[in-house]
Amino acid sequence: MQSAHLYPSARNWRENKPQYGHLIGNRWQDSDAAPIPVTAPATGHDFAWLARGGASEIDAAVIAARAALAGDWGRATATERGRLMQDFATLVLANADQLAWIEAHDTGKPISQARADLRAVARYFQFYGEAADKVHGEVIPYLTDYNVSVVREPLGVTAHITPWNYPAQMFGRTIAPALAMGNAAVLKPAEEACLVCLELGQLMVQAGLPAGALNIVTGLGEAAGAALTRHPGINFVSFTGSPEVGRLVQEAAAIHHVPVVLELGGKSPQVVFADADLEAAAAAVCKAIIQNAGQTCSAGSRVLVERSIFGIFTRLLSEHFAAVRVGVPEQDADLGPLISATQQRRVLDFIQDAQRDGLPMIVQTPIPTQLEHGFFVPPTVFGPVPADHRLVCQEVFGPVLAAQVFDSEEEAVALANGTEFGLVAGVWTHDGARQQRMARCIVSGQVFINCYGAGGGVELPFGGTKRSGHGREKGLMALEELSTTKTIVNYYG
Ligand code: NAD
């Protein structure tokens, strides 16, 4: 493997097709294998190259991480780790415009969404940086002349495999708590979009991160990702992506008995009762499936509407969908393209299947013809959709909403829980007792009442049940997932 500093100058980013390397032990390295082209979803043009890492680069990254734990990073105090993370957050904010521009072109998302994502990265590092030295142990009353303490320790080398829908936010969500607890991390971001992760890696080095505390290897999932999950030198895996790959990740991690946190998406329902503020609910339901072109694990991809208001509510919803502005990132519209031609085809197939099956189309917002080279998909609402239809049961990961109808609270709960997923749910009603009943009966990791936060803020524990995965990210709970305890029993008699 040749050693080269491949980090491109941000100033010539527009002119050149930069080639990005792997960040291993604070050095940029290339791979011998042919690089992977990076395509702009808004135009379909290639504009950068990613290094194609595999087992040997993963091995080098794990060795670098292990060395960091035995060296400066392992010796750093919690306060020092926290300060470094906050310095990094300051650097992210100082470079936010440029980073957001890269993120927007890499993913196709509207520039204001990309800016919000970069602010979220800074917030993750502030939150977990501040928390780093506030995770304390316990003293347990035990037998006479015994002192028993429970101390929290890092897991060791943590592996992180992230998807393409929110590359920047995922970096913050998974790397910040890992570093706060003193782990050394190896990140394998998604090959479809991850330039911002490499740029953030460069800023971490600039912030003073000791070599090997964070390593980033790019490459295909089945090569670099698979090599990481079965590497004997890792102590933990965090994976966000599809349920199918999540299962492979869990199987590979089981070879070495490594704990896994899986976040595998959802089919999240919003339940709208007749007494709700229908205008507020319609606006939120539209936003929850339009955001990031529906490519959000916690997208509100189903709306369950009480029969007596189905007509009026879907009319309100249609008004919101008709007003959705579609455009390339610089136009800062409401909706951008999907990530790739593959995802575009996949989502269009869902729409065609629904039409072929005769599902009523409530509204479809057309895509302007000048955008035909990008991977755009028209925002579409179908309904009522039967509970056993593919559009209700499967994650579409695009701007397609399935509306369902219910007659009673019991039926609403049954429909809400009627898929294999359980990530997030929304409930819209002014009836306080019903709010409580619904929140308790819906099986999911988060329930929003008269609001919908698509995963919510950094402070809120997030994660799924059932096929949506297991384990929790965000909030202080993430620090528990990313650490272990040691019980020390001291007899002093
Ligand atoms: P994916 O699960 O294939 O990819 C997610 C990550 O896993 C990427 O970094 C990828 O390189 C890596 N990966 C792939 N195969 C691997 C393997 N065998 N071992 C280890 N890592 C591997 O997801 P996708 O193909 O990019 O998207 C497919 C579907 O997954 C989407 O349509 C959507 O339904 C779902 N998805 C969900 C999320 C989410 O946030 N929950 C994100 C992206 C995609």
Side-chain angles (χ1 to χ4, degrees):
M1 185 193 292
Q2 72 194 79
S3 173
H5 185 92
L6 294 163
Y7 178 74
S9 154
R11 275 184 296 285
N12 67 18
W13 205 84
R14 281 171 188 268
E15 288 83 52
N16 300 333
K17 269 193 194 175
Q19 180 164 341
Y20 285 77
H22 314 288
L23 179 64
I24 300 175
N26 278 9
R27 297 169 68 89
W28 292 97
Q29 302 185 11
D30 199 0
S31 285
D32 292 334
I36 302 168
V38 182
T39 308
T43 61
H45 293 134
D46 294 347
F47 68 99
W49 298 98
L50 278 182
R52 189 186 295 263
S56 65
E57 291 83 355
I58 289 292
D59 198 40
V62 174
I63 290 170
R66 190 60 61 194
L69 292 171
D72 289 350
W73 181 243
R75 283 191 291 272
T77 64
T79 309
E80 287 165 344
R81 293 198 303 269
R83 275 201 206 116
L84 190 146
M85 290 174 64
Q86 298 200 49
D87 290 349
F88 169 71
T90 306
L91 274 177
V92 172
L93 291 175
N95 291 277
D97 276 350
Q98 204 163 56
L99 293 168
W101 193 87
I102 292 171
E103 178 77 327
H105 282 263
D106 202 8
T107 59
K109 63 180 70 187
I111 186 69
S112 57
Q113 171 70 56
R115 289 200 185 103
D117 290 356
L118 266 304
R119 284 196 298 276
V121 177
R123 176 76 186 121
Y124 275 112
F125 277 84
Q126 286 163 348
F127 179 84
Y128 289 112
E130 284 163 7
D133 60 4
K134 292 164 194 72
V135 179
H136 301 156
E138 292 174 5
V139 174
I140 298 183
Y142 191 52
L143 305 174
T144 307
D145 296 338
Y146 280 80
N147 183 20
V148 177
S149 56
V150 181
V151 294
R152 215 160 246 290
E153 298 186 335
L155 292 161
V157 176
T158 54
H160 307 258
I161 299 180
T162 54
W164 37 258
N165 50 348
Y166 289 91
Q169 282 215 42
M170 289 305 310
F171 181 99
R173 181 164 120 190
T174 189
I175 299 299
L179 296 183
M181 295 313 291
N183 302 287
V186 179
L187 169 66
K188 206 305 281 175
E191 52 272 36
E192 293 86 351
C194 67
L195 299 186
V196 78
C197 299
L198 298 160
E199 301 278 351
L200 289 166
Q202 174 72 8
L203 285 186
M204 291 236 73
V205 176
Q206 209 176 311
L209 191 75
L214 169 66
N215 307 276
I216 308 175
V217 176
T218 57
L220 302 184
E222 57 269 29
L228 181 56
T229 54
R230 58 170 184 257
H231 197 288
I234 60 164
N235 305 106
F236 168 90
V237 184
S238 159
F239 171 82
T240 303
S242 60
E244 295 72 24
V245 175
R247 187 173 52 76
L248 294 178
V249 167
Q250 186 151 10
E251 283 170 0
I255 297 169
H256 302 292
H257 305 284
V258 167
V260 177
V261 167
L262 297 179
E263 202 273 87
L264 307 177
K267 195 70 204 178
S268 299
Q270 298 214 56
V271 186
V272 184
F273 287 94
D275 71 328
D277 178 341
L278 298 188
E279 181 47 56
V285 167
C286 177
K287 182 160 176 263
I289 190 67
I290 292 304
Q291 183 182 331
N292 218 42
Q295 305 166 112
T296 304
C297 46
S298 49
S301 52
R302 291 190 293 149
V303 61
L304 279 46
V305 187
E306 194 161 5
R307 188 176 301 279
S308 62
I309 53 152
F310 191 81
I312 182 170
F313 186 75
T314 50
R315 268 196 300 283
L316 285 171
L317 209 49
S318 299
E319 287 168 19
H320 285 282
F321 271 77
V324 168
R325 296 168 302 127
V326 185
V328 297
E330 326 43 345
Q331 289 172 314
D332 204 15
D334 305 310
L335 182 109
L338 299 197
I339 191 71
S340 64
T342 309
Q343 284 298 109
Q344 181 190 36
R345 183 72 260 148
R346 199 178 149 273
V347 175
L348 288 174
D349 281 351
F350 269 97
I351 294 175
Q352 274 166 15
D353 282 0
Q355 287 177 298
R356 190 202 52 217
D357 294 343
L359 294 188
M361 185 187 283
I362 293 171
V363 58
Q364 184 169 61
T365 316
I367 301 297
T369 47
Q370 64 270 29
L371 298 175
E372 66 192 8
H373 298 297
F375 308 134
F376 291 87
V377 167
T380 310
V381 184
F382 287 99
V385 183
D388 59 354
H389 194 273
R390 178 172 179 237
L391 207 56
V392 162
C393 304
Q394 295 180 16
E395 188 174 43
V396 176
F397 231 58
V400 182
L401 178 67
Q404 297 175 262
V405 65
F406 67 85
D407 287 301
S408 66
E409 191 177 309
E410 292 71 26
E411 192 185 4
V413 170
L415 289 175
N417 292 340
T419 73
E420 293 183 314
F421 295 96
L423 189 59
V424 175
V427 178
W428 295 84
T429 177
H430 286 309
D431 180 333
R434 173 174 277 167
Q435 291 170 358
Q436 294 302 313
R437 286 194 300 271
M438 292 296 289
R440 263 206 304 279
C441 293
I442 291 179
V443 181
S444 73
Q446 291 186 330
V447 179
F448 289 88
I449 298 168
N450 291 333
C451 59
Y452 194 82
V458 172
E459 302 84 353
L460 310 183
F462 176 68
T465 58
K466 306 195 305 192
R467 200 170 149 86
S468 293
H470 50 76
R472 291 293 175 264
E473 298 184 290
K474 299 189 173 185
L476 296 177
M477 279 188 185
L479 299 175
E480 293 175 20
E481 298 277 8
L482 280 150
S483 60
T484 186
T485 60
K486 183 181 283 166
T487 306
I488 302 171
V489 183
N490 182 358
Y491 175 62
Y492 56 85

